Amino acid sequence: MTITPPALSVFETLESEVRSYCRGWPAVFDRAQGARLTDEDGHSYLDFFAGAGSLNYGHNNPVLKRALIDYIERDGITHGLDMATTAKRAFLETFQNVILRPRDLPYKVMFPGPTGTNAVESALKLARKVKGRESVVSFTNAFHGMSLGSLAVTGNAFKRAGAGIPLVHGTPMPFDNYFDGTVPDFLWFERLLEDQGSGLNKPAAVIVETVQGEGGINVARAEWLRALKELCERQDMLLIVDDIQMGCGRTGGFFSFEEAGIVPDIVTLSKSISGYGLPMSLCLFKPELDIWEPGEHNGTFRGNNPAFVTAAAALQAYWADGQMEKQTLARGEQIEQTLLAICAEEPTAQFRGRGLVWGMEFEDPARASAVCARAFELGLLLETSGPQSEVVKLLPPLTITPEELDEGLRTLARCVRETA
């Protein structure tokens, strides 16, 4: 199948130049179900992007759709600020019983606003409020959001430049394997903390992604994460894990930090927490950190009740029996074996990942964009990541079938061959 780009006049003449994904996928999409989208001309696309990780259970998941339709048809609350509603109660009870208690996690739940950057902003504010300090340490190639506080702890120079003002109170440190194993973990970080002449203000917190999605699918080792947690405890800093893209089962366990056996002080969730692509985010934190004054952090759209409905349905359908984690790890092995075979034939490429998030990096950054462009022509949606867009990013729905996954991987292999 070869796709012919449609006329996009109203998008080009009326919509802002800031639009981005549509430039790589010049189609007008009309319908979607499971792992596939269909454009208005009837062309079908296999989705290996899943709404940047917002659609872990696929498009228009029938179980979640049924729950949402039933709720809307009975005139359930749609907009509720932070008022108590039956939908919020059902979500909180389900989240506690299905996710928190089985993992012995003590967290309080905060609804900070509808997007991931809202959750990050609230986490940074709370950490600074608790510790009475301003500085927050982040890591090279990190991405935490597009609002000013989140940008201050984001590594990408292009995105940071969009702020238009100095981004302050954030200090970058090397992510795992930043020096290719030639420097011991946290040598520089710990030396700065202990040296009274280093010029580093005592940080309130450290914020980290266990797998850097936008940064190039950089996977932190479990031992590195454990060492980071121990460092934070020794130095009286809070550990914030940004699980916005890698949480909700993307790496296998519901939380991406489970494999490392750590309990962060603060966790941010968004993207697939609603299960249906509806805006929703959470900031989770240990009870002793809950020192907010009523209304000290709020937002008009933090009570998206339809999202609570689909979120509760997703947890009940996919996380009550432990099968989703096993399935994700099995699908991940399927991807790993294919990437191993592709890279055996392509000496300029290497791959890395966990669960159902993988990246293939090319020595020539332009090659990754060429692979994604050819994939679109063949009906497969792929995106790039990394500081130079040098990584082809694989982020299919967790519910994708083995046959669909195999189809997409065969297309990927073809695109790599054809762009050599």
Side-chain angles (χ1 to χ4, degrees):
M1 176 180 67
T2 300
I3 308 301
T4 302
L8 302 174
S9 57
V10 69
F11 305 107
E12 294 171 345
T13 59
L14 187 59
E15 191 178 0
S16 167
E17 292 298 320
V18 78
R19 65 194 188 280
S20 60
Y21 293 117
C22 58
R23 298 179 188 275
W25 302 329
V28 179
F29 296 102
D30 182 49
R31 291 174 289 113
Q33 212 288 316
R36 295 186 186 275
L37 294 89
T38 305
D39 69 19
E40 62 181 354
D41 296 322
H43 298 123
S44 177
Y45 302 80
L46 188 57
D47 187 1
F48 267 34
F49 186 62
S54 296
L55 296 163
N56 280 2
Y57 313 106
H59 296 267
N60 287 303
N61 182 289
V63 176
L64 311 189
K65 180 167 64 175
R66 184 71 264 161
L68 179 60
I69 290 172
D70 289 347
Y71 183 76
I72 292 171
E73 285 186 337
R74 74 167 184 81
D75 291 330
I77 298 292
T78 295
H79 179 272
L81 295 166
D82 68 357
M83 295 184 292
T85 66
T86 55
K88 182 194 280 190
R89 180 174 60 200
F91 167 72
L92 285 170
E93 291 175 346
T94 304
F95 190 66
Q96 183 176 48
N97 293 332
V98 175
I99 301 300
L100 296 182
R101 279 181 179 158
R103 293 161 179 80
D104 197 26
L105 293 172
Y107 297 131
K108 297 288 288 291
V109 178
M110 175 181 177
F111 300 97
T115 73
T117 199
N118 295 137
V120 170
E121 294 285 357
S122 66
L124 299 177
K125 285 173 65 174
L126 180 61
R128 288 167 171 143
K129 180 178 172 67
V130 168
K131 292 299 182 183
R133 308 179 205 132
E134 297 176 351
S135 176
V136 173
V137 166
S138 57
F139 291 95
T140 49
N141 291 311
F143 178 78
H144 296 290
M146 298 298 284
S147 51
L148 292 180
S150 301
L151 279 176
V153 290
T154 287
N156 186 284
F158 173 73
K159 292 180 173 63
R160 288 175 62 89
I165 61 171
L167 296 169
V168 297
H169 309 310
T171 303
M173 290 291 167
F175 191 71
D176 190 16
N177 204 39
Y178 188 71
F179 293 109
D180 298 321
T182 61
V183 177
D185 296 338
F186 308 116
L187 176 67
W188 172 243
F189 190 3
E190 198 150 19
R191 181 67 180 270
L192 290 179
L193 288 169
E194 294 174 352
D195 184 358
Q196 296 299 308
S198 70
L200 175 66
N201 294 332
K202 181 81 171 184
V206 175
I207 185 168
V208 67
E209 304 155 273
T210 66
V211 180
Q212 295 181 325
E214 299 304 309
I217 318 300
N218 305 312
V219 182
R221 294 166 296 140
E223 55 266 34
W224 187 86
L225 292 168
R226 287 192 290 268
L228 176 60
K229 175 60 175 170
E230 292 168 2
L231 175 61
C232 288
E233 291 174 351
R234 287 198 309 273
Q235 297 288 345
D236 187 34
M237 303 178 296
L238 298 177
L239 177 61
I240 305 169
V241 167
D242 181 342
D243 236 2
I244 287 167
Q245 187 167 89
M246 298 304 155
C248 301
R250 176 54 57 180
T251 65
F254 186 84
F255 295 104
S256 70
F257 55 80
E258 291 180 48
E259 181 190 44
I262 62 172
V263 178
D265 300 292
I266 303 175
V267 180
T268 59
L269 288 175
S270 186
K271 291 194 181 285
S272 274
I273 187 59
S274 81
Y276 203 74
L278 299 176
M280 178 179 171
S281 75
L282 304 177
C283 185
L284 313 177
F285 39 81
K286 293 180 176 178
E288 61 269 24
L289 304 181
D290 193 10
I291 63 172
W292 291 113
E293 295 291 334
E296 191 173 8
H297 185 95
N298 57 22
T300 304
F301 294 103
R302 65 195 186 280
N304 185 356
N305 281 256
F308 298 157
V309 171
T310 55
L315 297 180
Q316 291 164 349
Y318 294 102
W319 292 99
D321 61 4
Q323 292 305 305
M324 177 57 75
E325 180 174 354
K326 295 177 183 177
Q327 176 178 298
T328 297
L329 294 176
R331 302 283 193 274
E333 291 178 4
Q334 186 178 349
I335 293 178
E336 184 175 13
Q337 291 306 308
T338 300
L339 295 183
L340 191 64
I342 293 173
C343 289
E345 299 180 2
E346 178 51 72
T348 67
Q350 57 181 319
F351 69 93
R352 52 189 176 263
R354 277 178 60 195
L356 277 175
V357 52
W358 293 84
M360 178 179 290
E361 180 179 358
F362 293 91
E363 289 181 4
D364 177 6
R367 183 81 178 280
S369 295
V371 167
C372 291
R374 181 59 179 145
F376 173 77
E377 294 174 348
L378 297 173
L380 175 65
L381 300 185
L382 288 170
E383 253 294 339
T384 61
S385 70
Q388 300 180 75
S389 297
E390 73 276 20
V391 178
V392 174
K393 183 179 184 181
L394 281 67
L395 208 70
L398 306 186
T399 52
I400 194 168
T401 67
E403 294 76 20
E404 289 170 328
L405 191 55
D406 184 61
E407 175 189 339
L409 292 171
R410 288 198 310 270
T411 301
L412 172 63
R414 176 181 171 182
C415 294
V416 172
R417 290 192 303 270
E418 292 183 356
T419 57

